[in-house]
Amino acid sequence: LTRSVGMSSFLPARALALGSCVLGFIIMGALSAEQARPKEVSSSLWDSVLVLWQSGHAKFSPSTLGVDLDSLAVASCCSPSDLQVWAFRSAQGFHDTIQQGLRNAGNTR
């Protein structure tokens, strides 16, 4: 993800790392996607951003490990809302990178 998305002032390294960590917990089924969704992001936008992220990981079965976003935030020394925003920005960055790659691949044919 960091090679494809990269950090920026909008998504600094720590935010990208923690956002990606949250996405990893979602992929493994240890954290619900809904619990990680930022309140200001609509369910449809959140789902559309996660669909590409989750598509390559559908073979995983739900984890028996349960992770609470509040506990993860305490361990990360940040707020749950920060983690939600960073997870969204990480997933959105990945989504945008994939979409750009698909557009570029279509232009080279």
Side-chain angles (χ1 to χ4, degrees):
L1 179 63
T2 57
R3 291 176 62 191
S4 298
V5 176
M7 61 185 159
S8 66
S9 59
F10 182 68
L11 190 60
R14 180 173 186 263
L16 180 60
L18 290 172
S20 298
C21 178
V22 170
L23 293 172
F25 281 120
I26 292 169
I27 296 301
M28 295 304 297
L31 179 69
S32 77
E34 187 57 32
Q35 186 181 9
R37 181 176 61 86
K39 305 297 181 244
E40 64 276 3
V41 174
S42 70
S43 292
S44 60
L45 176 58
W46 181 236
D47 290 344
S48 71
V49 166
L50 286 183
V51 73
L52 283 176
W53 180 257
Q54 292 178 318
S55 64
H57 305 287
K59 60 183 172 252
F60 288 115
S61 59
S63 173
T64 57
L65 171 69
V67 177
D68 178 65
L69 190 69
D70 292 331
S71 299
L72 188 57
V74 169
S76 303
C77 300
C78 62
S79 72
S81 62
D82 284 343
L83 282 179
Q84 290 171 327
V85 168
W86 296 339
F88 174 72
R89 288 180 181 171
S90 296
Q92 187 175 40
F94 178 75
H95 178 270
D96 293 347
T97 299
I98 294 296
Q99 292 297 327
Q100 185 62 42
L102 292 173
R103 282 192 292 275
N104 290 344
N107 291 336
T108 60
R109 291 183 184 181

